[in-house]
Structure formats: structure tokens, C-alpha cells
Amino acid sequence: MIKKLAELLSAKNIILKNVRVINLAGFTRSKTLFALIGTDERGYNNLIFLRVARGRILLKDACNLAQISEQISQNLGVKIKKTTLFYCCEICSKSIKFFKENSWKLYDFV
């Protein structure tokens, strides 16, 4: 998973320092979700999610990801400036609208 995420980040020209892998066991039971946090060249904290699943991302899933993001921010005691989601499945239009309203970056991959 880490190798795949590194390839995706380099393809999108996202460069992070002080990268830490987040153990999501305390936040969700999902086995298809992977997360890491790091700082970019401006010093902003970036939270990156990778979702590898067959099922569609519904609005319920989008809300759950937003809650997980807030919980990670509180547990680590950092303010997350940018949040990004890489996904390889279909996503519903309501989820896309929700993510755009909350300033998430969305990238799909195959």
C-alpha cells in the first residue's frame, strides 16, 4: 500500500515531509482505507486517504471520512490544512459535492 501511495503522490506532484502512517484501527473497522499525514513545502499539514474498494463511495461514506479526519486532527493535536482522497471505485455525485464544499482534493486511479 505504501508503494502504491508513493507512486500516486509522485504522479500528482505532492511532496510531503515528516510523513507518518496513521493506524486507522481506532477510528474505523474498514480494511479498505489507508491514511498518512505529512507537511508540505509551505508547512501545512496534509492528510491523505487511499481507498481501495469495489463499492461506490456514497454520501454516508463521505461523512464518515470527514469524521475520521476530524478525529485524527484531535488525537494528534494538529490542524489539518489540506485533505486528499485517492480512490479507485465509483463515487456518487452527492459525495463529490460534499467533498468539494469541504475543500477536499479528489483523485481517482486505476
Side-chain angles (χ1 to χ4, degrees), residues 3-90:
K3 185 177 180 181
K4 180 68 174 174
L5 192 55
E7 291 172 3
L8 292 172
L9 291 175
S10 65
K12 298 297 180 185
N13 294 327
I14 300 173
I15 300 170
L16 299 176
K17 302 182 287 189
N18 303 327
V19 177
R20 294 181 287 176
V21 176
I22 307 279
N23 184 8
L24 294 176
F27 305 107
T28 183
R29 295 167 64 182
S30 175
K31 303 286 186 200
T32 62
L33 196 60
F34 184 76
L36 58 89
I37 190 168
T39 56
D40 62 5
E41 62 274 355
R42 294 183 182 172
Y44 296 132
N45 290 318
N46 291 318
L47 181 61
I48 310 237
F49 287 105
L50 173 67
R51 185 170 188 264
V52 182
R54 291 184 183 177
R56 176 182 290 200
I57 298 175
L58 302 174
L59 184 59
K60 174 184 78 168
D61 301 323
C63 292
N64 287 340
L65 281 174
Q67 288 176 352
I68 291 170
S69 174
E70 291 175 13
Q71 291 173 353
I72 290 172
S73 175
Q74 290 174 356
N75 283 357
L76 296 178
V78 296
K79 183 177 179 183
I80 297 172
K81 183 72 174 177
K82 298 178 184 176
T83 310
T84 307
L85 173 65
F86 288 95
Y87 60 95
C88 66
C89 57
E90 293 182 15

